[in-house]
Amino acid sequence: MKTVEWDSLNISTSKLGFGCASVMGRVGKKKSLYAMQMAYELGVRHFDIARSYGYGEAEDVLGRFVKQKRDKLTITTKFGINPPKNQKILSVVKPIARVVFEKFPALRSKISHKTDRILPTGLFSKDNVKKSLNDSLRALKTDYVDFFMLHDCYSKDIFSDELLTLLELFIQEGKIRAWGVATDLRTIEKLLPIFEVKPKIIQYENNVWNSKEVSNIDLSNMNSILHSPFGGLEGNSTIDQLCNSSPIIEWGKKENLEISHQKLSRYILEGAISLSNNSVVLCSMFSKNHISQNIEAVNNPDLTSAQCHEFINICNVNKKLVNFKLMEED
């Protein structure tokens, strides 16, 4: 597995990261633990989670997995969005919901937007941040996390001297190795100039659909974790639309490249990887085959650098080829 080297943090980890946003939500404990183990065995060494994932249960699952491997991998967790208070009820309902969603997948997106509204957000006070870190460390069964990120922060007013002092204290105490910001790219662009103490790491969405926006600001010197490489493409029908689009078909003929559902999915991932520079790219992947394919895209890409560049340009110019919604999974 290719690695990223962050000299300023003295940290090396895998280029491909395991995104845990679906753990104990869409995906249950057994399948999640299996996928984490498969990813680890195949070379993935970064795991990204948040206090709110799985409505508060995901960190405990990751904690079970990393117990004997803590010194061999890196972990990001986030604070500012808390799990709901009615976790016991949700723990009973979620397994039933997974069965329903497997039979009726179209229901998932409709329900998920409504359930997300029950999560308390914007909790960046000193007491909330302390509690969030302590809860995360306890659930993850570790005495430190590598990266502790502000989750969906949108205002400069959040970054009080009190908060920044607390985050630096966590570093001194060895509870975190670095703190950072996980939000949308435009907000990061606005916030970075105002920081007196700069975050050591940032996390945002990056893929072939928004690459022009990314190129408008210079983030090349920032340690970065990038999510949503597929840009929220929903289901096979969207990929099918791309496969049948004239610009994609013409590009494939010119470059003598196969245009199929499987190959186009790989090209989209390779495009996101090519945009990432020295960054971790997060993927949500819960089958051995899916994990293997993603790792292969990292280690042995089908596209040359020039082909990636042209593919990205086509996707940017032709965003309206398909109807899709950019979904954040940070």
Side-chain angles (χ1 to χ4, degrees):
M1 166 66 73
K2 291 182 179 179
T3 61
V4 296
E5 312 292 332
W6 291 329
D7 295 338
S8 62
L9 298 173
N10 193 28
I11 288 176
S12 173
T13 194
S14 59
K15 178 70 175 178
L16 189 66
F18 189 99
C20 296
S22 297
V23 173
M24 298 308 290
R26 179 172 62 86
V27 184
K29 183 186 298 182
K30 183 177 180 180
K31 186 174 181 180
S32 295
L33 288 170
Y34 169 82
M36 290 172 184
Q37 183 61 35
M38 287 299 99
Y40 181 82
E41 289 179 5
L42 292 170
V44 175
R45 290 296 182 269
H46 184 72
F47 292 79
D48 180 276
I49 203 157
R51 188 76 203 99
S52 59
Y53 288 174
Y55 303 103
E57 295 185 306
E59 284 183 323
D60 183 70
V61 175
L62 181 58
R64 291 175 184 234
F65 167 72
V66 304
K67 195 172 183 180
Q68 306 301 324
K69 310 175 182 70
R70 183 64 190 94
D71 61 337
K72 298 179 177 65
L73 46 80
T74 54
I75 297 174
T76 292
T77 195
K78 310 179 194 75
F79 64 96
I81 303 178
N82 278 0
K85 294 181 179 179
N86 55 344
Q87 287 177 266
K88 290 184 178 180
I89 297 174
L90 284 170
S91 66
V92 175
V93 172
K94 283 191 294 182
I96 301 171
R98 290 185 199 112
V99 174
V100 173
F101 290 149
E102 284 181 6
K103 294 184 178 180
F104 307 101
L107 290 174
R108 184 183 302 279
S109 60
K110 295 180 181 179
I111 300 297
S112 63
H113 292 308
K114 293 181 179 179
T115 54
D116 285 346
R117 294 173 189 169
I118 67 176
L119 299 176
T121 63
L123 303 176
F124 299 110
S125 71
K126 182 178 179 179
D127 289 343
N128 280 324
V129 175
K130 278 186 176 181
K131 184 178 187 306
S132 185
L133 180 59
N134 288 334
D135 288 346
S136 289
L137 293 177
R138 182 168 56 252
L140 292 166
K141 299 170 182 62
T142 182
D143 56 1
Y144 76 98
V145 292
D146 298 277
F147 312 117
F148 193 47
M149 313 277 278
L150 283 84
H151 199 179
D152 286 357
C153 52
Y154 298 109
S155 170
K156 65 180 182 180
D157 298 330
I158 292 168
F159 298 93
S160 63
D161 290 340
E162 184 178 58
L163 174 59
L164 296 175
T165 298
L166 179 63
L167 294 172
E168 292 300 318
L169 178 62
F170 290 156
I171 295 174
Q172 294 172 19
E173 293 175 338
K175 293 181 177 180
I176 67 175
R177 297 178 74 179
W179 67 270
V181 175
T183 188
D184 65 275
L185 186 63
R186 298 282 70 79
T187 298
I188 292 174
E189 179 185 21
K190 293 176 183 177
L191 291 177
L192 281 179
I194 70 165
F195 285 122
E196 292 186 13
V197 179
K198 302 289 185 184
K200 296 295 185 182
I201 190 161
I202 53 177
Q203 181 169 322
Y204 58 92
E205 177 182 322
N206 192 20
N207 50 62
V208 298
W209 309 107
N210 66 3
S211 61
K212 280 191 175 179
E213 296 175 15
V214 173
S215 65
N216 286 339
I217 62 174
D218 182 13
L219 299 175
S220 59
N221 294 322
M222 295 291 295
N223 303 317
S224 303
I225 299 171
L226 310 177
H227 68 86
S228 302
F230 293 95
L233 291 173
E234 296 180 348
N236 293 337
S237 61
T238 308
I239 296 290
D240 289 340
Q241 290 178 59
L242 287 172
C243 287
N244 294 319
S245 66
S246 297
I248 296 294
I249 292 172
E250 291 171 6
W251 170 74
K253 287 180 179 178
K254 181 174 72 72
E255 297 295 333
N256 195 27
L257 291 167
E258 178 185 338
I259 301 299
S260 64
H261 185 282
Q262 182 176 354
K263 283 295 185 180
L264 196 55
S265 295
R266 175 157 174 157
Y267 301 157
I268 291 170
L269 178 56
E270 289 186 15
I273 292 167
S274 74
L275 290 165
S276 66
N277 298 319
N278 190 37
S279 304
V280 171
V281 176
L282 299 177
C283 281
S284 177
M285 43 191 179
F286 289 89
S287 72
K288 185 175 182 179
N289 184 52
H290 191 186
I291 296 165
S292 298
Q293 289 176 352
N294 289 347
I295 291 174
E296 184 68 13
V298 172
N299 290 338
N300 299 294
D302 285 344
L303 302 182
T304 66
S305 178
Q307 288 170 334
C308 264
H309 182 73
E310 187 172 2
F311 178 67
I312 292 165
N313 284 338
I314 292 170
C315 289
N316 268 268
V317 170
N318 297 280
K319 285 183 180 181
K320 294 182 180 179
L321 281 172
V322 294
N323 294 318
F324 69 93
K325 187 188 306 183
L326 292 176
M327 303 286 289
E328 297 211 5
E329 187 178 335
D330 61 351

